[in-house]
Amino acid sequence: MSQFIVSARKYRPTTFDSVVGQEQVTQTLHNAIAANKIAQAYLFCGPRGVGKTTCARIFAKEINKEAMPEGADLTFNIFELDAASKNSVEDIRTITDQVRIPPQVGKYKVYIIDEVHMLSQAAFNAFLKTLEEPPPYAIFILATTEKHKIQPTILSRCQIYDFKRINVKDIVPHLAKICEEENITFDQEAYANLLKKGFNFEF
């Protein structure tokens, strides 16, 4: 029996081209990689479910692609921290301790901190020193739904990307494509009604 994979995982974008509704962000990141202009800290802002963490993971893979053997495992190059549940000084110190160790394979180690605005004040202070003077192989991607809660000292050290809410014109064709791939019958009029009513989606 094949393992069942929920649709949210099965259809999670794995390339910039497959990200829905964020072309202004994905194209800029793609151009930066092509020009080899990689910043050491990024801040991805926007509502929940618009692709901030997904784009962070894709970016982490893309900047290491050329320096990795084909089929190599990127597990030890990408580190994720959910600041909603791990927001203490000890959690940040775990990252700052890891930063000191260069990557064993690939060119960069990427640290993704989700919901970064939920870090405690002490954790922010502990993180700031590392963000100010990171080693050349360390890239930080901070994601937040509440940019106004981020300290100005953190903001000043990041390239900021604002993710927009996904609109109906972008998501409806994507839903239709998924239905076709899953052999699900759908009513074209239903999709047309969604476009007319202009519902807002969060995915």
Side-chain angles (χ1 to χ4, degrees), residues 8-200:
R9 286 183 56 200
K10 184 176 181 180
Y11 293 102
R12 181 186 294 274
T14 56
T15 64
F16 285 136
D17 289 339
S18 60
V19 175
V20 177
Q22 305 298 341
E23 290 79 9
Q24 80 286 354
V25 172
T26 57
Q27 188 59 53
T28 303
L29 292 174
H30 178 78
N31 292 343
I33 295 170
N36 197 30
K37 293 183 177 180
I38 310 298
Q40 293 217 264
Y42 297 84
L43 181 65
F44 290 177
C45 317
R48 278 190 174 86
V50 294
K52 300 185 298 296
T53 305
T54 294
C55 282
R57 292 170 181 165
I58 295 171
F59 184 76
K61 292 176 182 178
E62 288 295 318
I63 61 177
N64 274 307
K65 184 186 294 182
E66 291 187 4
M68 298 286 284
E70 187 174 349
D73 187 4
L74 279 168
T75 303
F76 297 107
N77 291 71
I78 304 174
F79 303 85
E80 293 190 37
L81 177 72
D82 182 7
S85 57
K86 296 183 178 180
N87 50 23
S88 68
V89 174
E90 289 73 21
D91 295 316
I92 289 299
R93 280 178 181 160
T94 299
I95 289 180
T96 56
D97 288 342
Q98 291 176 343
V99 167
R100 299 172 187 160
I101 305 170
Q104 301 302 303
V105 291
K107 188 175 181 181
Y108 298 104
K109 291 174 75 173
V110 182
Y111 297 86
I112 302 170
I113 304 180
D114 205 6
E115 299 297 346
V116 68
H117 65 275
M118 297 188 73
L119 288 177
S120 67
Q121 184 64 47
F124 264 125
N125 293 338
F127 179 53
L128 184 58
K129 179 66 175 176
T130 300
L131 194 63
E132 286 178 331
E133 300 177 0
Y137 53 78
I139 307 294
F140 296 96
I141 305 178
L142 317 178
T144 181
T145 54
E146 301 187 47
K147 182 169 67 174
H148 62 280
K149 292 185 178 180
I150 306 296
Q151 292 182 4
T153 48
I154 299 290
L155 292 175
S156 67
R157 287 158 177 78
C158 298
Q159 279 193 8
I160 301 174
Y161 290 81
D162 290 303
F163 286 65
K164 64 184 180 181
R165 191 181 298 276
I166 302 174
N167 62 45
V168 179
K169 289 184 179 179
D170 287 327
I171 200 64
V172 167
H174 188 62
L175 290 173
K177 181 180 178 182
I178 291 174
C179 286
E180 290 176 357
E181 291 185 11
E182 294 292 327
N183 294 318
I184 296 173
T185 303
F186 59 92
D187 189 340
Q188 292 286 353
E189 290 187 9
Y191 289 111
N193 286 334
L194 288 177
L195 285 169
K196 289 177 183 177
K197 292 180 180 179
F199 292 142
N200 286 322

